[in-house]
Amino acid sequence: MSSTMGDRVRISIFGQSHGEMIGAVIDGLPAGERIDPDALQAMMARRAPGQALTTPRSEKDAVRIVSGLVGGVTCGAPLCLMIENTDVRSADYERLRRLPRPGHADLPAHVKWNGFNDVRGGGHFSARLTAPLCAAGGILMQLYARRGIRIGAHLYEAAGVRDTPMDPMRVSEKDLDALLEAPLPVFDREAGEKMLSAVAEARREGDSRGGIVECAVLGLKCGLGEPMFGGLENLISRAVFAVPAVKGIEFGEGFGAARLRGSENNDPYRMGKDGPEPVSNHAGGILGGLSTGAPLVFRAAFKPTPSIALKQDTVDLAEMKDASLEITGRHDPCVALRAVPCVEAAAAAALADLVL
Amino acid sequence: MSSTMGDRVRISIFGQSHGEMIGAVIDGLPAGERIDPDALQAMMARRAPGQALTTPRSEKDAVRIVSGLVGGVTCGAPLCLMIENTDVRSADYERLRRLPRPGHADLPAHVKWNGFNDVRGGGHFSARLTAPLCAAGGILMQLYARRGIRIGAHLYEAAGVRDTPMDPMRVSEKDLDALLEAPLPVFDREAGEKMLSAVAEARREGDSRGGIVECAVLGLKCGLGEPMFGGLENLISRAVFAVPAVKGIEFGEGFGAARLRGSENNDPYRMGKDGPEPVSNHAGGILGGLSTGAPLVFRAAFKPTPSIALKQDTVDLAEMKDASLEITGRHDPCVALRAVPCVEAAAAAALADLVL
Amino acid sequence: MSSTMGDRVRISIFGQSHGEMIGAVIDGLPAGERIDPDALQAMMARRAPGQALTTPRSEKDAVRIVSGLVGGVTCGAPLCLMIENTDVRSADYERLRRLPRPGHADLPAHVKWNGFNDVRGGGHFSARLTAPLCAAGGILMQLYARRGIRIGAHLYEAAGVRDTPMDPMRVSEKDLDALLEAPLPVFDREAGEKMLSAVAEARREGDSRGGIVECAVLGLKCGLGEPMFGGLENLISRAVFAVPAVKGIEFGEGFGAARLRGSENNDPYRMGKDGPEPVSNHAGGILGGLSTGAPLVFRAAFKPTPSIALKQDTVDLAEMKDASLEITGRHDPCVALRAVPCVEAAAAAALADLVL
Amino acid sequence: MSSTMGDRVRISIFGQSHGEMIGAVIDGLPAGERIDPDALQAMMARRAPGQALTTPRSEKDAVRIVSGLVGGVTCGAPLCLMIENTDVRSADYERLRRLPRPGHADLPAHVKWNGFNDVRGGGHFSARLTAPLCAAGGILMQLYARRGIRIGAHLYEAAGVRDTPMDPMRVSEKDLDALLEAPLPVFDREAGEKMLSAVAEARREGDSRGGIVECAVLGLKCGLGEPMFGGLENLISRAVFAVPAVKGIEFGEGFGAARLRGSENNDPYRMGKDGPEPVSNHAGGILGGLSTGAPLVFRAAFKPTPSIALKQDTVDLAEMKDASLEITGRHDPCVALRAVPCVEAAAAAALADLVL
């Protein structure tokens, strides 16, 4: 009941960081949809390791679609997406069975699964599992694009350096296109460079940094969503917290709204040429869980990568005594950098029941 | 698929603000659990209108349990909880059918349901529907208490005034008890008085204020939760966004973690007398979606009440032209004040599948 | 997770035979649908006790819709249907707590719920709970009728006497109308009289009889349903077994198909004026779980009423020894007689996710 | 929403008859369960083609488990089971795109998916997809065996020839073991030979035959199941109709119960050494959807294989005119022969939420 979500469109993610295969099954896609493998692979490349300041682990993350397509077109049957884990070095991780890493799921997973959990690289809890999430999201985003819906995100903040925020009233497909072409998904290149150098500095110190990803969904018609537990905020938050290291989410003004007055935070209406429209978008495109027709905008906060080179206190589960740990594996010093397409994919997964 | 949540324990909420009845069905509770009606009614009283700076609408919100109990004890059959809407004044709202209120779901609900939505008081989108949520949560919390699990929340911030935050390592049942006895659920009474006067001032100006509720869940054993989409953060966020006006949620350090370094944010372990334990709790009691055994702590941001007395721009849906609106009904100037038990109830609802 | 079904349209049934209220919540109905209370009450009257050879217990089973309607029209919010249990005589049943009735759920329910189950009249397992099922089904059938879909059933067999079967190629709305007007829902009145006299004879002997209900769904377009676990047979069978006393279900030729040859059982196609059409309907309107466009026809087998006046062996759960039991309450001597609308309602509930 | 079932344990089946891979994801299995690959492969061999009177298509159906295991033991993460389609001859089927086969899902699937369905071998509707179902069921049955639960089935009837039925009170693990060793899963070898010769005769005539599979589940404790839609009959029937060609299911006396009297069909209780026990088992081990502790026994009716060599009438979808069809591919003349493990697997899948 854990790694599956959705009622009409069901996405079921499988695999472990150092297992043989990771992947996803997507059940319930409409038939007749062409899947562009190059566009899918471009999505995968955006989260792939091996970029500036990301894990040097070399993974091509080629997505193989082994069911559900006939001649590259969906046939109504579930799609199974497979990604091979090609660069697995289990030796790095063996001793971690005894020494749970602070900030990781190692210890609770050990307790939950009575020590049978796959400890290699965090197993099923690894950020590696965002690869099949991105694959599933990448496919969904191809279908959404045909329905006029675009999802795009940027690094809103990393290591305390802030990018130019999205303008919730005016963020456009052109803005999202620009992000895809940039080497780092930011609007303000200078801010991007400052982010990278701050993160690089933390890495040199054996440490890591956190960040915030901001994401927009464009093209949602007014009135999409269900009340109460089925609202857009409910569905998107449930999906986005599936991305490891996310510790907070906010829509529109979010936490900032708690400090505003109603007269400041409300979005008045005016009659536009296509009907009523809000004149501002403090709501982030959502009222009562339903889309307002304005851009849906949210931010997800990422904690700093818990795998750091600095020595940390932990316990030895074999001898049940205090111990210390230095993590030497390959790790991103700021998970938020590669998380941008993951947040998009999670948003895509959340919307599938409503949009398709 | 909207007003229902849960797989093993299913909570289905029904009703509209000014309909005949509101209530909830809870399916899947264990048999043999005594339900204390006084404790339930005490929970209802905490969110009831008629308190300082809350709606003067007089509602006793007596919860009638019309099924599922034999002699006050659960019998395995679903519980149906009924609350009568006693103080309904529909006349206040009739003209709002034409004039959607900024900041409310009126316009998207009108579009979604082709104008058939119940506009009286926001209909199914009204904060009135948190009454059955609280009733369901109040029942669940009685069952949890028998299993050593306590949920309690306070007003972390209102109108920009901050209460003493919970200490994520040391927050105790005694702290939660103290909140129940206070006239306003805050730790720092002086801060509470400042909140009330700031909110009262906004009301005098025809305006409203936002706030933040902080909630702790005590007594969760290590290892509770499911990976990926079934994690504690996923389930709690999905439930908490069902409370109207919530625009953000964060766990542990939350958005603050985005500015910390890994060496600051990680919670190292030490060997305690009952086994390994974290020495700090930046994680808010959750790693990889699983409970760590430390207190689970999260915060939910509430926007300012959208119903304000000040004149606002809107549109006239009958004549499709610009219009203006002054809202004269009975409204809380700060929804966060009464939202404290609602957040607890949402957390309780989120945990039902895992705890029971 | 038990008394709730459906993904998009969720029906949650609550109550016990002798509790205060029984009812159902229907979440996910489209807005703008007028509900005709007289037609709903007519549906209820078809299963009501007090008819020939049915329980003399007097229940009007007036359905009160306490939410989800504005001016008699659905508003998008969940409908809550309430039925009062007016003629409750608990004294009849008290001693049954010790003496589980053969053929009823008493003993397994006692074990499942550690003796906390409501034993009065079978509690949540009572056929009384088909009243809210019929209410929910009656509402759905009003919506279906507007979409060209009709559901109707007849007593195919009772006490070994068989009615004229439905012709799976030619069964029409007119046939279903005729059943509604007949005093007993059979095509062959003479067979109906024989059924009644055979059942009456069993009752005089303190015994009971079984029967078979045959049901048709007309107007389903070709291609409705989902593959594998989401097929029409899967969904309908899951729902129909919720009607107490059902022990078997078959579609089209059903068990008879096991004795046919492929050349006999296959339904060849011909080109009709509206496109391809089957020339026979051994499939009962379903191939691969999907509708073929031909009438959907199935039969459900009902065991004889387990409550009989004859002395039966049982055990005394208080003293854990052998005992005997004579059931003296009010009971139908053949549950199949009143089950006809229940089977229709279950079929309606099963189709809601697909049709609405 | 179609090829996935289960709430706590979710089984998601993917693939098409002539696609690259077929398989299943099982999410929610307990950790620490050793999976015996030989026992799994033995289960696969029981449904494999190439046996007497079954499809000569040569498929080894080797199941590769590419996730969820560490050292052959479940680690809590979802299992992904992969089976390669090795003997794919698409050419056989190409022209069937125009000529829908009577008795198959070809035409409704064509309509449902606007002609994008995979027509090769029936695509996702093929009985080939029972291979991953058997793989999933085979794994579940290993876990059940450790919990004292055994599932076994036999050919109750084929081509009108009946095997010795299971004795619902006395069917034992020894009986089920005997079925595994027999060349054909029947108790009465002579009956088995008659079945084979009757089926062989039908094949010689270019025709096919139907059959009935009877299945027992041993070791279920009393009180398992949920009321109403979550009963054992509901869950098992939903799962068993996922096996292609099933047209009916009955539990215990099933349709026969419709002709019995209450005094005949009720199972009286007596006090046994381990507590109350039924003295007969007309109920097939289920009352009110809950297990009684007696063997659970049900029968599933299989229609004759729709793929027959005899000429059949159909339509040409390209030219929209009448046409005829002779099916020349490799097909079992009686699907029931190989369906025995499929029915067991479906029962296993149905029980997963309750047993694990």
Side-chain angles (χ1 to χ4, degrees):
Chain A
M1 58 160 295
S2 50
S3 306
T4 309
M5 74 170 289
D7 283 324
R8 306 180 206 189
V9 178
R10 277 205 184 134
I11 299 171
S12 190
I13 291 179
F14 59 85
Q16 306 109 256
S17 179
H18 289 62
E20 186 176 348
M21 294 268 192
I22 55 178
V25 173
I26 315 177
D27 185 7
L29 290 187
E33 298 279 347
R34 179 163 297 281
I35 305 303
D36 176 345
D38 295 334
L40 178 58
Q41 221 52 51
M43 173 78 173
M44 297 308 290
R46 289 168 58 211
R47 83 158 280 293
Q51 302 177 22
L53 289 175
T54 62
T55 307
R57 176 172 173 170
S58 68
E59 290 162 348
K60 281 185 206 152
D61 284 349
V63 180
R64 234 174 105 198
I65 304 181
V66 299
S67 74
L69 296 185
V70 175
V73 174
T74 59
C75 68
L79 269 66
C80 180
L81 320 175
M82 310 288 302
I83 302 168
E84 251 179 286
N85 276 329
T86 49
D87 184 24
V88 174
R89 304 190 208 156
S90 295
D92 291 353
Y93 295 94
E94 257 326 310
R95 77 196 179 91
L96 293 183
R97 184 180 295 278
R98 292 175 67 160
L99 304 177
R101 296 167 300 171
H104 280 284
D106 295 358
L107 184 59
H110 174 88
V111 172
K112 177 180 177 58
W113 286 324
N114 298 313
F116 290 107
N117 57 309
D118 188 346
V119 296
R120 300 170 297 162
H124 191 55
F125 292 91
S126 168
R128 176 87 187 111
L129 272 291
T130 57
L133 177 65
C134 280
I139 285 173
L140 291 169
M141 284 159 70
Q142 294 189 21
L143 273 64
Y144 295 171
R146 278 171 213 144
R147 289 155 176 82
I149 295 168
R150 270 291 295 276
I151 302 177
H154 73 121
L155 252 181
Y156 174 84
E157 188 182 300
V161 182
R162 189 160 290 184
D163 187 24
T164 308
M166 285 172 166
D167 177 334
M169 282 301 284
R170 260 164 291 274
V171 55
S172 68
E173 296 209 27
K174 211 176 126 192
D175 295 333
L176 306 187
D177 288 340
L179 289 171
L180 293 177
E181 285 153 25
L184 191 72
V186 290
F187 293 117
D188 175 348
R189 297 212 171 190
E190 204 173 327
E193 277 158 32
K194 281 185 198 159
M195 289 176 189
L196 289 178
S197 67
V199 170
E201 190 194 325
R203 185 173 58 173
R204 276 191 302 274
E205 295 166 3
D207 216 337
S208 63
R209 299 300 302 253
I212 299 174
V213 172
E214 186 176 55
C215 183
V217 184
L218 308 181
L220 295 180
K221 295 231 165 59
C222 180
L224 204 77
E226 298 291 332
M228 229 166 272
F229 306 110
L232 290 169
E233 289 141 330
N234 311 67
L235 299 177
I236 291 173
S237 64
R238 179 177 55 164
V240 168
F241 278 112
V243 179
V246 175
K247 294 304 282 186
I249 191 167
E250 58 178 10
F251 294 82
E253 288 291 332
F255 277 83
R259 299 234 170 131
L260 295 180
R261 289 166 173 259
S263 58
E264 294 165 324
N265 188 62
N266 281 354
D267 302 311
Y269 293 109
R270 68 178 165 220
M271 191 55 63
K273 57 176 190 261
D274 301 323
E277 59 186 28
V279 303
S280 57
N281 188 15
H282 300 277
I286 308 177
L287 287 173
L290 308 182
S291 56
T292 64
L296 190 165
V297 179
F298 69 92
R299 282 169 299 283
F302 286 80
K303 68 180 184 185
T305 316
S307 291
I308 55 175
L310 291 171
K311 194 179 203 173
Q312 297 181 85
D313 288 339
T314 185
V315 288
D316 183 323
L317 292 174
E319 306 190 6
M320 291 299 265
K321 63 172 192 184
D322 288 340
S324 72
L325 173 73
E326 282 169 77
I327 298 175
T328 54
R330 306 155 294 180
H331 303 287
D332 289 358
C334 177
V335 286
L337 300 194
R338 281 169 60 195
V340 167
C342 306
V343 170
E344 297 171 4
L351 295 171
D353 274 346
L354 297 172
V355 169
L356 298 178
Chain B
M1 58 162 293
S2 50
S3 305
T4 309
M5 73 171 289
D7 283 324
R8 306 180 207 190
V9 177
R10 276 205 185 136
I11 299 171
S12 190
I13 291 178
F14 59 86
Q16 306 108 257
S17 179
H18 290 61
E20 184 177 349
M21 295 266 192
I22 55 178
V25 174
I26 315 177
D27 185 7
L29 290 188
E33 298 280 346
R34 180 164 295 282
I35 305 303
D36 177 345
D38 296 333
L40 178 58
Q41 221 52 51
M43 173 79 173
M44 298 308 289
R46 290 168 59 211
R47 83 159 280 293
Q51 303 177 22
L53 288 175
T54 61
T55 307
R57 174 173 174 171
S58 68
E59 288 162 352
K60 281 185 207 152
D61 284 349
V63 180
R64 236 174 103 199
I65 305 182
V66 300
S67 74
L69 296 186
V70 174
V73 173
T74 58
C75 68
L79 269 67
C80 179
L81 321 174
M82 310 288 302
I83 302 168
E84 250 180 286
N85 277 329
T86 51
D87 184 26
V88 174
R89 304 189 208 157
S90 295
D92 291 352
Y93 295 95
E94 257 326 310
R95 77 197 179 88
L96 292 183
R97 183 179 296 279
R98 293 176 66 160
L99 304 177
R101 296 168 301 172
H104 280 284
D106 295 359
L107 184 60
H110 174 88
V111 172
K112 176 179 177 58
W113 285 325
N114 298 313
F116 290 105
N117 58 310
D118 188 345
V119 296
R120 300 169 301 161
H124 191 55
F125 292 91
S126 167
R128 176 88 188 113
L129 273 290
T130 57
L133 177 64
C134 280
I139 285 173
L140 292 169
M141 284 160 71
Q142 294 189 22
L143 274 65
Y144 294 172
R146 279 172 212 142
R147 290 154 176 82
I149 296 169
R150 270 291 296 277
I151 303 177
H154 73 120
L155 252 182
Y156 175 85
E157 188 182 300
V161 182
R162 189 160 290 185
D163 187 24
T164 308
M166 284 173 168
D167 177 333
M169 282 300 284
R170 260 165 290 276
V171 56
S172 68
E173 296 209 28
K174 212 176 126 193
D175 295 334
L176 305 188
D177 288 340
L179 290 170
L180 293 178
E181 284 153 25
L184 192 73
V186 289
F187 294 116
D188 176 349
R189 295 211 173 190
E190 206 175 325
E193 277 158 32
K194 281 185 198 158
M195 290 176 188
L196 289 179
S197 68
V199 170
E201 190 195 325
R203 185 173 58 174
R204 277 191 303 274
E205 294 167 3
D207 216 335
S208 64
R209 299 300 302 253
I212 299 174
V213 172
E214 185 176 54
C215 183
V217 184
L218 308 181
L220 294 179
K221 294 230 166 60
C222 180
L224 204 79
E226 298 291 333
M228 229 166 271
F229 306 111
L232 290 169
E233 288 141 332
N234 311 65
L235 298 178
I236 291 173
S237 64
R238 180 178 53 164
V240 168
F241 278 112
V243 180
V246 174
K247 294 303 283 186
I249 191 167
E250 59 179 8
F251 295 82
E253 288 292 332
F255 276 84
R259 298 235 171 131
L260 295 180
R261 288 167 173 258
S263 58
E264 296 164 323
N265 189 62
N266 281 354
D267 301 311
Y269 294 108
R270 69 179 164 217
M271 189 56 62
K273 56 176 190 261
D274 302 323
E277 58 186 31
V279 303
S280 57
N281 188 15
H282 299 278
I286 308 176
L287 288 173
L290 308 182
S291 56
T292 64
L296 191 164
V297 179
F298 69 91
R299 282 169 297 284
F302 286 79
K303 69 180 185 185
T305 315
S307 290
I308 55 174
L310 290 171
K311 194 179 202 173
Q312 296 181 85
D313 289 339
T314 184
V315 289
D316 183 324
L317 293 174
E319 304 191 6
M320 290 299 266
K321 63 172 192 186
D322 289 339
S324 72
L325 173 72
E326 282 168 78
I327 298 176
T328 55
R330 307 154 294 180
H331 302 287
D332 289 357
C334 176
V335 285
L337 300 195
R338 281 169 61 196
V340 168
C342 306
V343 169
E344 298 171 6
L351 294 171
D353 274 346
L354 297 172
V355 169
L356 298 178
Chain C
M1 59 159 295
S2 50
S3 305
T4 309
M5 76 171 288
D7 283 324
R8 306 180 207 192
V9 177
R10 277 204 184 136
I11 300 170
S12 190
I13 291 178
F14 60 85
Q16 306 110 255
S17 179
H18 289 61
E20 186 177 347
M21 296 266 191
I22 55 178
V25 173
I26 315 177
D27 185 6
L29 290 188
E33 297 279 346
R34 180 164 294 282
I35 305 303
D36 177 344
D38 296 334
L40 179 58
Q41 223 50 53
M43 173 78 174
M44 297 309 290
R46 289 169 58 213
R47 83 159 279 293
Q51 303 176 22
L53 289 176
T54 62
T55 306
R57 175 173 172 171
S58 68
E59 289 162 349
K60 280 185 205 152
D61 284 349
V63 180
R64 236 173 104 198
I65 305 182
V66 299
S67 75
L69 296 186
V70 175
V73 174
T74 59
C75 68
L79 269 67
C80 179
L81 321 174
M82 310 288 303
I83 302 168
E84 252 180 283
N85 276 330
T86 49
D87 184 25
V88 173
R89 303 189 207 158
S90 295
D92 292 351
Y93 294 96
E94 257 326 311
R95 76 195 180 89
L96 292 183
R97 183 180 296 277
R98 291 175 67 161
L99 305 177
R101 296 168 299 172
H104 280 284
D106 295 358
L107 184 60
H110 174 87
V111 172
K112 177 180 177 56
W113 286 325
N114 298 312
F116 291 105
N117 58 309
D118 188 346
V119 296
R120 300 170 299 162
H124 191 55
F125 292 92
S126 166
R128 176 86 187 113
L129 271 291
T130 57
L133 177 64
C134 279
I139 286 173
L140 291 170
M141 284 159 71
Q142 294 189 22
L143 273 64
Y144 295 171
R146 279 173 213 142
R147 289 155 176 83
I149 296 169
R150 270 291 296 277
I151 303 177
H154 73 121
L155 252 181
Y156 175 84
E157 189 182 299
V161 182
R162 189 160 289 185
D163 186 25
T164 309
M166 286 172 167
D167 177 333
M169 282 301 283
R170 260 165 290 276
V171 55
S172 68
E173 296 209 29
K174 210 175 128 193
D175 295 333
L176 305 188
D177 289 340
L179 289 171
L180 293 178
E181 285 154 25
L184 192 73
V186 289
F187 294 117
D188 175 349
R189 297 210 172 192
E190 204 174 327
E193 278 159 30
K194 280 184 198 159
M195 290 177 189
L196 289 179
S197 66
V199 170
E201 190 194 326
R203 184 173 59 173
R204 276 191 303 274
E205 295 166 3
D207 216 336
S208 65
R209 300 299 303 252
I212 299 174
V213 171
E214 186 176 55
C215 183
V217 184
L218 308 181
L220 294 180
K221 296 232 163 60
C222 180
L224 204 76
E226 298 291 332
M228 231 166 270
F229 306 110
L232 290 169
E233 287 141 331
N234 311 65
L235 298 178
I236 291 172
S237 64
R238 179 177 56 163
V240 168
F241 278 113
V243 180
V246 174
K247 295 303 283 185
I249 191 167
E250 60 179 8
F251 294 82
E253 288 291 332
F255 277 84
R259 299 234 170 131
L260 295 180
R261 289 164 173 261
S263 58
E264 295 164 324
N265 188 61
N266 282 353
D267 301 311
Y269 293 108
R270 70 178 163 219
M271 190 55 62
K273 58 176 187 263
D274 301 323
E277 59 187 30
V279 303
S280 56
N281 188 15
H282 300 276
I286 308 176
L287 288 172
L290 308 182
S291 57
T292 65
L296 191 164
V297 179
F298 69 92
R299 282 169 298 283
F302 286 79
K303 69 181 185 184
T305 315
S307 291
I308 55 174
L310 290 171
K311 194 180 203 173
Q312 296 180 84
D313 289 338
T314 185
V315 288
D316 183 323
L317 291 174
E319 304 190 6
M320 290 299 267
K321 63 173 194 185
D322 288 340
S324 72
L325 174 73
E326 283 169 78
I327 297 175
T328 55
R330 307 154 294 181
H331 301 286
D332 290 357
C334 177
V335 286
L337 301 194
R338 281 169 61 196
V340 167
C342 305
V343 169
E344 297 171 5
L351 294 171
D353 273 346
L354 297 172
V355 169
L356 297 177
Chain D
M1 58 161 296
S2 49
S3 305
T4 309
M5 75 170 289
D7 282 324
R8 306 180 207 192
V9 178
R10 278 207 182 133
I11 300 171
S12 189
I13 291 178
F14 59 86
Q16 306 108 256
S17 179
H18 289 62
E20 186 177 348
M21 295 268 191
I22 55 178
V25 174
I26 315 178
D27 185 6
L29 289 188
E33 299 279 347
R34 180 163 296 281
I35 305 304
D36 177 346
D38 296 333
L40 179 58
Q41 223 49 54
M43 173 78 175
M44 299 308 291
R46 291 168 58 212
R47 85 159 277 295
Q51 304 175 24
L53 289 174
T54 63
T55 308
R57 176 173 173 170
S58 68
E59 289 162 350
K60 281 184 207 153
D61 284 349
V63 180
R64 235 173 104 198
I65 305 183
V66 299
S67 74
L69 296 186
V70 175
V73 174
T74 58
C75 68
L79 269 65
C80 179
L81 321 174
M82 310 287 303
I83 302 168
E84 252 180 285
N85 277 329
T86 50
D87 184 27
V88 173
R89 305 189 207 159
S90 295
D92 292 351
Y93 295 96
E94 258 325 312
R95 76 196 179 90
L96 293 183
R97 184 180 296 277
R98 292 175 66 161
L99 304 177
R101 295 167 300 170
H104 279 284
D106 295 359
L107 184 59
H110 174 89
V111 173
K112 175 178 179 56
W113 285 324
N114 298 313
F116 290 105
N117 58 310
D118 188 345
V119 296
R120 301 169 299 160
H124 191 54
F125 293 92
S126 167
R128 176 87 188 113
L129 272 291
T130 57
L133 177 64
C134 280
I139 285 173
L140 291 170
M141 284 159 71
Q142 295 189 21
L143 273 65
Y144 295 171
R146 279 172 212 144
R147 289 155 175 82
I149 296 169
R150 271 290 296 276
I151 303 177
H154 73 121
L155 251 182
Y156 174 85
E157 189 182 301
V161 182
R162 188 160 290 184
D163 186 23
T164 309
M166 285 172 169
D167 177 335
M169 282 300 284
R170 260 166 290 276
V171 55
S172 68
E173 295 209 29
K174 212 176 124 191
D175 295 334
L176 306 187
D177 288 339
L179 289 170
L180 293 178
E181 285 153 25
L184 192 73
V186 290
F187 294 116
D188 176 349
R189 296 210 173 194
E190 205 173 326
E193 276 159 33
K194 280 185 197 159
M195 291 176 188
L196 289 180
S197 67
V199 170
E201 190 194 324
R203 185 173 59 173
R204 278 192 301 275
E205 294 166 4
D207 216 337
S208 64
R209 301 298 302 252
I212 298 174
V213 172
E214 186 176 54
C215 183
V217 184
L218 308 182
L220 294 179
K221 294 232 164 58
C222 180
L224 204 77
E226 298 291 332
M228 229 166 269
F229 306 111
L232 290 169
E233 288 141 331
N234 311 66
L235 299 178
I236 292 173
S237 64
R238 180 178 54 165
V240 168
F241 279 112
V243 180
V246 174
K247 295 303 282 185
I249 190 167
E250 59 179 9
F251 294 82
E253 288 291 333
F255 276 85
R259 298 233 170 134
L260 294 181
R261 288 165 173 259
S263 58
E264 295 165 324
N265 188 62
N266 281 353
D267 301 312
Y269 294 108
R270 71 179 162 217
M271 190 55 62
K273 58 176 189 260
D274 300 324
E277 58 185 32
V279 303
S280 57
N281 188 15
H282 299 280
I286 308 177
L287 287 173
L290 307 182
S291 56
T292 64
L296 191 164
V297 179
F298 69 91
R299 282 169 298 284
F302 286 80
K303 68 180 186 184
T305 315
S307 290
I308 55 175
L310 290 171
K311 194 179 203 173
Q312 297 180 86
D313 288 340
T314 185
V315 289
D316 183 323
L317 292 174
E319 305 191 7
M320 290 300 267
K321 63 171 193 186
D322 289 339
S324 72
L325 174 72
E326 282 168 78
I327 298 175
T328 54
R330 306 153 295 179
H331 302 287
D332 290 357
C334 176
V335 285
L337 301 194
R338 280 170 61 196
V340 167
C342 306
V343 169
E344 297 172 5
L351 294 171
D353 274 346
L354 297 172
V355 169
L356 297 178

